[in-house]
């Protein structure tokens, strides 16, 4: 039976990059026997404009019924002054929460062809291969109470709650240890246990779960140091596991090690291998609609989808090889361009990946 993919381009460059990823999926479907059906839905600002909500019931239904979701990005200047409850970002957070996508895998891999595109020295980043496991449905992003209240003296006070139950920490710990078992068996848990009780518990649970994985070497690092170490000596890391907000920040930081945030895919997984596949970057309103965005993060997210949700490892490798082959040809979008390369746009980059798939 064919598998169903919900395609949610979202806003800004989301539309342009998802179009390239869909080209890749169509090529796999037509030429390589991938048995999938795709159906589009609205999310984020596009959905708000259409129906007044960033996550319409129809989109949620489509995502629930699908075997996998492909998401572009949400957000943009146009919607920044809306009430936070209906902002585009709430559509994405709602999808993650409703589908219980608690485990976000964000691989930061430096393709050797891009060693000079990184702002870090080539010797610092060459050979880089880190997997960041970010908790995605808890922590300060979802904790209650939250809001902005008015104090007795009429001063406003903003507040959010950093909160984790043991069971939430345990399940992300298992994903992280399992991930480490398949790699170099080194796991670094990133917290702020020196200041925040919630992450003191995080560390305690990580240590407890580690007893079930005696082969994995577990270490702990405070988040401030982790940010520094990521740019100082990133190759010390194999798998990192951390909270929702720390993972958000550290993965953008890790992205730059690979040359550009436009290269970093991600998989947001539930406990049954259902996933939403999304580049880690946003809707990049500064370059939207200009055929400038790098579609590789989204195309590599398709590879993750093939691997984790569609049981098509061979095709996943095929897509990854096609991306490498395009980089070998010297084709570069603006964000990864260095002198001597051939500068191309979003569309041409997508077409080149499809052409590479076919050869
Ligand atoms: P951003 O990731 O959209 O952009 C940051 C910078 O990186 C920009 O200069 C942008 O041009 C560049 N960039 C990002 N992706 C690129 C790509 N594929 N190719 C080339 N350059 C790329 O972050 P931001 O500017 O802080 O946020 C813009 C909007 O996106 C906001 O509304 C934010 O909430 C939203 N956002 C959405 C997601 C998501 O949907 N997953 C993720 C992050 C931010
Ligand atoms: C990401 C984004 C989202 C996040 C926003 C848009 C809600 O930054 O996917 O990294 O903070 O998780
Ligand atoms: Mn982010």
């Amino acid at each position: 039976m064919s598998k169903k993919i919900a395609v949610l381009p979202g806003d800004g460059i989301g539309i342009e990059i998802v179009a390239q990823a869909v080209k890749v999926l169509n090529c796999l479907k037509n030429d390589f026997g991938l048995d999938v059906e795709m159906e589009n839905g609205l999310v984020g600002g596009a959905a708000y404009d259409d129906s007044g909500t960033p996550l319409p019931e129809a989109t949620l239904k489509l995502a629930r019924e699908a075997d996998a979701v492909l998401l572009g990005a949400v957000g943009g200047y146009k919607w920044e002054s809306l009430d936070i409850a209906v902002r585009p970002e709430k559509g994405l957070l709602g999808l993650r929460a409703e589908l219980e996508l608690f485990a976000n895998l964000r691989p930061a891999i430096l393709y050797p062809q891009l060693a000079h595109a990184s702002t870090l020295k080539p010797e610092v980043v060459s050979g880089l291969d880190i997997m960041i496991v970010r908790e995605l449905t808890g922590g300060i992003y979802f904790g209650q109470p939250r809001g902005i209240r008015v104090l007795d003296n009429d001063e406003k006070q903003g507040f959010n709650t950093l909160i984790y139950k043991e069971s939430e920490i345990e399940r992300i710990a298992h994903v992280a240890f399992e991930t480490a078992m398949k790699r170099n068996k080194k796991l670094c848990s990133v917290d702020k246990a020196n200041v925040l009780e919630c992450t003191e518990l995080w560390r305690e649970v990580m240590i407890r779960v580690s007893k079930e994985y005696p082969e994995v070497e577990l270490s702990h690092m405070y988040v401030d140091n982790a940010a520094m170490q990521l740019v100082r000596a990133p190759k010390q890391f194999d798998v990192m596991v951390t909270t929702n907000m720390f993972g958000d920040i550290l993965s953008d930081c890790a992205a730059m090690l690979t040359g550009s945030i436009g290269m970093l895919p991600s998989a947001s997984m539930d406990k049954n291998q259902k996933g939403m596949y999304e580049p880690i970057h946003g809707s990049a309103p500064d370059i939207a609609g200009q055929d400038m965005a790098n579609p590789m993060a989204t195309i590599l997210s398709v590879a993750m989808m093939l691997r984790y949700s569609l049981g098509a490892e061979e095709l996943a490798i095929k897509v990854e090889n096609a991306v490498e082959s395009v980089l070998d040809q010297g084709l570069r979008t603006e964000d990864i361009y260095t002198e001597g390369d051939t500068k191309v746009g979003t569309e041409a980059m997508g077409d080149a990946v499809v052409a590479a798939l076919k050869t």
Side-chain angles (χ1 to χ4, degrees):
M1 211 177 67
S2 71
K3 300 255 170 102
K4 205 166 157 189
I5 303 174
V7 179
L8 313 178
D11 309 315
I13 62 165
I15 295 152
E16 302 160 64
I17 54 179
V18 165
Q20 310 316 311
V22 167
K23 275 184 199 166
V24 167
L25 280 164
N26 275 325
C27 170
L28 297 177
K29 194 173 158 175
N30 298 332
D31 296 5
F32 299 96
L34 178 69
D35 191 9
V36 291
E37 293 303 325
M38 289 178 257
E39 194 176 330
N40 273 61
L42 293 174
V43 70
Y48 176 83
D49 287 349
D50 183 66
S51 63
T53 164
L55 181 54
E57 206 45 56
T59 300
L60 191 54
K61 182 164 181 284
L62 178 68
R64 275 194 211 286
E65 287 171 3
D67 296 287
V69 181
L70 176 65
L71 183 123
V74 297
Y77 308 133
K78 186 178 169 191
W79 304 283
E80 269 169 12
S81 52
L82 287 177
D83 186 279
I84 201 162
V86 291
R87 261 190 237 158
E89 291 78 359
K90 274 285 189 238
L92 175 58
L93 295 170
L95 276 170
R96 290 173 181 170
E98 290 293 330
L99 301 180
E100 294 180 69
L101 307 170
F102 67 92
N104 186 208
L105 306 178
R106 298 190 156 188
I109 295 171
L110 178 87
Y111 286 91
Q113 300 88 340
L114 297 184
H116 292 275
S118 176
T119 47
L120 278 88
K121 296 189 193 106
E123 63 268 28
V124 174
V125 292
S126 72
L128 182 90
D129 182 353
I130 302 176
M131 179 66 92
I132 297 179
V133 179
R134 170 190 178 196
E135 199 291 325
L136 203 61
T137 51
I140 199 165
Y141 272 51
F142 293 92
Q144 295 287 349
R146 62 189 295 153
I148 299 172
R149 60 191 160 211
V150 182
L151 301 175
D152 288 344
N153 67 354
D154 280 344
E155 187 187 1
K156 285 193 208 163
Q157 184 181 51
F159 56 102
N160 288 89
T161 304
L162 172 59
I163 188 164
Y164 272 114
K165 289 190 287 198
E166 286 180 288
S167 54
E168 291 175 288
I169 306 171
E170 266 160 23
R171 63 181 184 177
I172 194 70
H174 282 290
V175 172
F177 279 102
E178 299 286 349
T179 304
M181 281 300 286
K182 291 186 204 129
R183 295 171 47 105
N184 294 326
K185 302 193 170 72
K186 267 178 64 185
L187 176 63
C188 179
S189 170
V190 177
D191 61 37
K192 189 75 186 174
N194 52 344
V195 178
L196 304 171
E197 291 83 348
C198 182
T199 66
E200 199 184 346
L201 179 66
W202 175 278
R203 187 176 285 213
E204 187 186 309
V205 174
M206 286 292 157
I207 292 170
R208 192 196 305 154
V209 174
S210 74
K211 310 289 184 241
E212 294 174 49
Y213 301 88
E215 287 176 58
V216 177
E217 180 197 316
L218 173 68
S219 61
H220 307 274
M221 201 178 271
Y222 299 133
V223 64
D224 45 356
N225 184 25
M228 187 273 279
Q229 295 295 340
L230 264 179
V231 283
R232 189 189 75 90
K235 282 184 275 181
Q236 70 185 281
F237 298 110
D238 176 22
V239 181
M240 302 174 91
V241 61
T242 191
T243 61
N244 202 342
M245 186 159 77
F246 293 165
D248 178 44
I249 298 166
L250 292 179
S251 56
D252 263 36
C253 180
M256 204 49 225
L257 306 171
T258 73
S260 165
I261 195 165
M263 292 301 298
L264 236 74
S266 91
S268 307
M269 309 298 298
D270 76 358
K271 62 178 191 305
N272 301 318
Q273 295 306 107
K274 173 161 174 172
M276 181 158 78
Y277 298 84
E278 33 174 332
I280 80 148
H281 60 72
S283 55
D286 54 335
I287 58 166
Q290 298 171 47
D291 193 40
M292 271 173 72
N294 186 345
M296 292 308 203
T298 317
I299 291 171
L300 290 166
S301 299
V302 167
M304 293 185 90
M305 176 192 292
L306 292 162
R307 176 168 294 128
Y308 296 131
S309 289
L310 302 181
E313 173 70 23
E314 272 173 39
L315 293 183
I317 293 170
K318 226 176 175 18
V319 171
E320 287 161 353
N321 288 343
V323 166
E324 281 233 45
S325 142
V326 168
L327 296 177
D328 280 336
Q329 293 163 36
L331 303 187
R332 304 282 187 271
T333 42
E334 174 93 36
D335 57 311
I336 49 174
Y337 174 83
T338 45
E339 220 180 301
D341 298 330
T342 309
K343 200 183 287 184
V344 297
T346 311
E347 283 269 351
M349 202 72 159
D351 291 340
V353 174
V354 170
L357 275 174
K358 291 184 176 184
T359 54

